Structure formats: structure tokens, C-alpha cells
Amino acid sequence: MTIHGSSPISRVLAIPELLDMVFQFLDDTSNASNARVSKHWSEIALDVMWKEVLNLHRLFSLLAPLEKSGSGSYKFVRPLESSDWVRFERYRRRVRKLIYSTSQTKHVLHHSVFDDVARSRTSLDILPNMHAFYWDGSLTLCVIFMHKNIKSFGLGLARETLSKSSQIACVFEDVVTRMPKISSIDLRFEFSVRLIEEDVIRLFSNLPNLHTIILPRFCLTAKIAETVSRLGKLQTLEYQYHWYQGRGDPDDIKDFRPRLIEGSFPSLFDFSTTITFTDATKFLTIPFSPSNLTIMYLDSPAMETPSTLSAFLNTIPEACPLVKSLTVVSAPSDGPEFTPPGKEDCVTIDVLRPLFKCPNLTSFEIEHHYPLHLELSDIEEIATSWPGVERLMLNNQPRYLENSNLTLRALLPFARHCPKLRMLGLFMNATTTDFPAPDSSSVYQLPTFRSLYRLSVGVSLIQEEGAVALFLSQMCPLYCEIEMGVTWEDSVSQEVLDKLLPRSKRWEKVEELLPLLTKLRIEERKRAHLLKKEVQDLRIRTEVLMDKFALSSTPANVDGCITL
């Protein structure tokens, strides 16, 4: 096949950047075929194939064949030779990212494979251009891949390694010595961070270039916070919900009161933590607390009250004047089924009102066990106070499922006042009929969302799928998705499931009907617009004809002038 030619397609296929973009969307089998087309295509296809290595067995098979041993792990069938490394040279320089997990791979490698590689390698850096390295396996084996060019490093620590505490300390020392330029580190484990706290502190304090630190939940202790506060380049300090991230012990972060010094957290703007609202309030108000935060995610391990949330939100305008995104999550109760709440148990507009003083806030999410106590007038106030909001999730999946003050009319203020709103979450009672019927004359007067692409209804109540879909079709854009259900981490009782499943099925039906109905509404609006334009045109024509008729019926003088 001739790559370079005079046709437009040939010229396009000769541009390396465009080929790379195309090959990124293909699987390895297709790119293996592309690599055999020409030398030009081969280099680009191989770069794509080996840029990210998720299968270490496949990579090491380029050195020599691997066979399954009696223990179930894989070993080389023969000793490695210098010629193997010459052949491997073509591939190793292409690797930019390596991910290896013994618990996730189908081909677990025997430790002898790593010994053979370490002993026979012809250069110290096995993958010299790799800049991202994630390892979840034997700690002693990952050292052979470490080198000074790695910028992002992730490490999984098994509980079994705690019996060999010196092993963790040695690996952390290797990280500091062999990968001194690391800017992002991700630690994953499922045990109390107190067991390795001193090692973690020593690790972080010796990596001055860190700008991102990711830890399991409940692992940001006061001592660790004090250590990372002195990292001048640290921008992101967070945890993840992924199962593989693990979690620590909630008792480790009780009474979170770090002692900060002047100049603490000079660059931090993204902060996620799992402390109580009370501790978060104290943290943001102590001297030298981070003042440049633009993103904050607070997941409390306690079942918070509206009063503790109010105290926290009252500190935000002054303590975090630059905040753009704020999420607050209250842990659910571990006790029995919730009893019907009183107004004092629910978050009201008075609790949320301090956030209206945050001029840069474009994203807000709140999760609480009880539904928010908001009236339609409160929704109107929220919408008019936040015209620039882009993401707003107002507790769409509370644990108490029985009732909501809000109906579908709560959508109207947001459609009317928030043109940039892309994601909206509400817990509503869509079983009532306080919205216009589909044949109402006001159908064309309802405000429409301009940017909304996801409406998250969570556990909202619903009965008539068709009526709800008809109403939403008048307001939602064609591409808008309906998101229903829960993201709760803990198990759900059968009683709760019996309540949730019928609701989810009805909302799924709404999601199924909505695109078709929205298309019909759009066509209906177009026809109505054309009809209105035609009526206006006819009205103008009629007025012109009436004027001509009036002129023609006026008597004229002999000189042809019209008598006034």
C-alpha cells in the first residue's frame, strides 16, 4: 500500500499526529495489523500498542517465552540472553505507563522472572521512558522498574506486609532514592494508617516535588497533614472511593487538629478529606489554614446535624473565598430505619444561605440522611442567587424515602434563571399533578434548560411515567439524560429495595420515553413558530389591504388630489 500519494486521503494518512489519533481508538489486534502496513505506520502503531502496559506477562514474552509452572505462576522457559535484550530494545522505549496487580492479572509471574530480568538486563533502566508506574504485588519486586524519570507512582500495600514493617520502610526509601522527581503518589491499603504513619511521614517529607497525594479514606491524620502542609508544590490532597484504594480506620482521624506554621499549604487548591464537619470548621479557622482552595470535598464519618453543617458553611465565604466546587456528605446512620424527621432534623434554606456569598461557586453537592426541607420559594431563591451554577446536587438520594416537599415545579426556577446548569439533582415528589397538562395552552411558555445534560432524580417518588415524561419533554434538551437510583456504599435491606425498585423502573420508563417526546416537542415548537410567523405575515398583509381599501374608497377632487 502506498502511503504518500497525491489524493487527499493519502496526504491525511501521512500526518503522524492524525494517524496516532486514529490508532488510539483501535484495539491491539487492529494496530498489530497496522504495524505491518509500512515502516511509517509501524512506528506509530507500536507506540500506541505499548504506550500503556497492563499485562506484564505480554511485555516480558517479548524477551523469551513464558510457561505455566506447577505453582500456577509463569516462568521463562530458558535463560535470557543479550540478543533477547537487543530485540526488546525496540519495544521498551515505547512504554510510558506500567500497571501491575497480582490480584487482577490472569498471568501471575513467578519471582524468578523478575530475578532473571534484573540479572540479565543490559542497562539499569528497563523501561527508560516510563513516567507512570502503578504496582500492587510483592514490594521487593517493583524496585527493578524504578528510575529517576518516573513522575507518577502508585503502590498497593497488602496487610501481610505489616508483619515485615522493615520491608515497607525499605521500599519507601527506594522510592525516595530511585524516583526523586515524583510529582504524584497514590498509596492504597486496607488497614489503619497509624501502623505505618511514621514511614508515610518520612516518605512525604523527602519528596519535595509532590503536587498530588492520594490516600485511602480516613488516612489523613493530623501528623500527616502537618507534614504535607510544608510541601511547597502540593496542589491536590485527596482520597478515592474506588474499591482498590482501600480504607483506613475512622478512629485515626478523630479530633483532627493539626498544628500549622506560617506558609502552610501555599499551593493547595484541591482538598478532599474524611473528617467531621466540626473538625473541618476548626481546621479552616485556625491560623495558616489553606486559603487558596477552589475544590473541597468533605465526607464526614459522623451522622451530621443541620447545626454542624450550618457552622461549617458559615466559615466558607471567609475561609475559602476562591472556592468553585464544594461537596458535603454526612454519613448515614448505622441504626434502625429512620423515623419521620421534624423540621429541625432537616437542612433548610437558612443553612445553605451563606453559600450565596461565594461569588465563584459553580458546583455544589450535599448528601444528607434526611430530605432537604425546601419550599418552592426557597428553590426560587437558590436559582436567582446562583445564576452561574453549573452543577447542583441537592440531596437527591436521602435515606429517608417517604416524602419530599418539592414537586416537578421545582425545576422551573432553575430552567428560568440558570442558563449554564449542566447537572441537576433533586429529590422530588413526582406523584402529584401540579404541573401543566400536555394540552395546556401554557405549553410553549414553560422555560427550557439551555445546557442541562443530566437530571439526577435519585430516589424521587413517581407514579405516572407518561405524565412525567410529557412534562419533562417541554423543558429538557434533546440530549438530556435521566439518572436514577442510589450510590450508597453499604448494603440495602430488602424492605428498602422493595421501595426503590418500582421507582427505578418507572424512572427508567421516563428515560425511555423522553427522547421521542422531546423530539416531538421540538417539532411542535418549530411548527408553532412557523404558524405564528405566518399569522403575523397574514396580519400585516391584511392591514396593508385594509389601508389600500380605505384609500380607494376616499373621494378625490378633479385634480386627482384626495380630499382630507
Side-chain angles (χ1 to χ4, degrees), residues 104-379:
Q104 297 299 306
T105 183
K106 296 180 180 178
H107 306 92
V108 178
L109 301 179
H110 192 267
H111 67 84
S112 64
V113 171
F114 299 94
D115 293 339
D116 292 342
V117 169
R119 183 177 57 254
S120 64
R121 57 183 167 178
T122 55
S123 62
L124 185 62
D125 299 340
I126 298 174
L127 304 172
N129 296 321
M130 178 175 67
H131 58 75
F133 179 31
Y134 299 88
W135 185 266
D136 185 7
S138 175
L139 296 183
T140 58
L141 301 179
C142 68
V143 178
I144 65 172
F145 297 102
M146 296 180 180
H147 60 76
K148 63 181 180 179
N149 293 324
I150 294 178
K151 299 295 181 64
S152 180
F153 178 59
L155 183 63
L157 302 173
R159 183 180 292 273
E160 296 75 32
T161 58
L162 293 175
S163 59
K164 305 174 182 178
S165 58
S166 61
Q167 190 178 91
I168 295 178
C170 290
V171 170
F172 283 177
E173 186 176 345
D174 284 326
V175 170
V176 172
T177 305
R178 300 172 186 269
M179 300 185 292
K181 297 180 182 179
I182 286 179
S183 58
S184 174
I185 192 164
D186 181 357
L187 298 182
R188 305 168 181 177
F189 50 86
E190 190 84 22
F191 50 79
S192 171
V193 71
R194 296 287 187 189
L195 301 175
I196 58 171
E197 186 176 38
E198 294 304 321
D199 295 324
V200 171
I201 289 174
R202 194 177 304 110
L203 172 67
F204 290 161
S205 61
N206 286 292
L207 293 173
N209 295 313
L210 285 176
H211 66 65
T212 300
I213 295 177
I214 303 175
L215 295 169
R217 296 168 69 185
F218 314 118
C219 289
L220 184 63
T221 64
K223 287 185 178 181
I224 293 178
E226 291 171 2
T227 300
V228 300
S229 70
R230 295 188 285 271
L231 298 175
K233 298 181 181 180
L234 184 64
Q235 300 176 359
T236 301
L237 180 58
E238 64 181 15
Y239 69 92
Q240 298 288 348
Y241 283 111
H242 305 306
W243 63 268
Y244 54 77
Q245 192 71 45
R247 59 179 286 162
D249 186 347
D251 289 338
D252 291 343
I253 48 87
K254 285 184 177 179
D255 195 26
F256 181 80
R257 297 183 182 181
R259 297 178 181 178
L260 304 181
I261 61 175
E262 187 176 359
S264 294
F265 296 114
S267 305
L268 187 69
F269 70 86
D270 186 352
F271 181 52
S272 302
T273 185
T274 50
I275 57 178
T276 65
F277 292 175
T278 300
D279 284 343
T281 302
K282 295 176 182 177
F283 175 67
L284 292 179
T285 54
I286 62 175
F288 314 121
S289 62
S291 58
N292 298 319
L293 296 180
T294 59
I295 302 173
M296 187 170 184
Y297 193 107
L298 178 59
D299 185 355
S300 172
M303 186 174 173
E304 301 284 355
T305 64
S307 60
T308 57
L309 175 60
S310 177
F312 171 72
L313 294 184
N314 271 291
T315 65
I316 294 297
E318 184 176 351
C320 306
L322 303 178
V323 67
K324 296 180 180 179
S325 176
L326 177 64
T327 301
V328 287
V329 180
S330 170
S333 171
D334 294 328
E337 192 78 13
F338 289 116
T339 57
K343 184 177 179 181
E344 67 280 0
D345 299 319
C346 300
V347 175
T348 64
I349 187 64
D350 293 330
V351 176
L352 302 179
R353 198 170 277 126
L355 294 179
F356 300 161
K357 301 176 184 178
C358 300
N360 300 307
L361 192 64
T362 59
S363 175
F364 176 66
E365 178 177 358
I366 178 174
E367 291 187 21
H368 197 257
H369 36 279
Y370 283 132
L372 305 186
H373 189 85
L374 298 175
E375 304 294 343
L376 187 59
S377 58
D378 299 329
I379 295 296

Side-chain angles (χ1 to χ4, degrees), residues 365 367 393-399 401 424-428 454-462 481-490 492 496-497 499-509 511:
E365 178 177 358
E367 291 187 21
M393 307 296 287
L394 295 177
N395 201 31
N396 59 319
Q397 45 180 325
R399 296 304 179 103
L401 308 171
L424 175 62
L426 291 173
F427 174 53
M428 300 174 290
R454 181 173 300 161
L455 176 62
S456 184
V457 296
V459 295
S460 295
L461 292 83
I462 180 174
E481 301 175 357
I482 303 296
E483 184 180 62
M484 73 293 294
V486 298
T487 57
W488 302 336
E489 289 185 278
D490 52 336
V492 179
V496 174
L497 279 176
K499 295 178 181 179
L500 291 180
L501 288 178
R503 298 184 193 182
S504 294
K505 289 181 179 180
R506 292 190 181 102
W507 281 112
E508 287 173 0
K509 186 64 175 179
E511 185 182 34

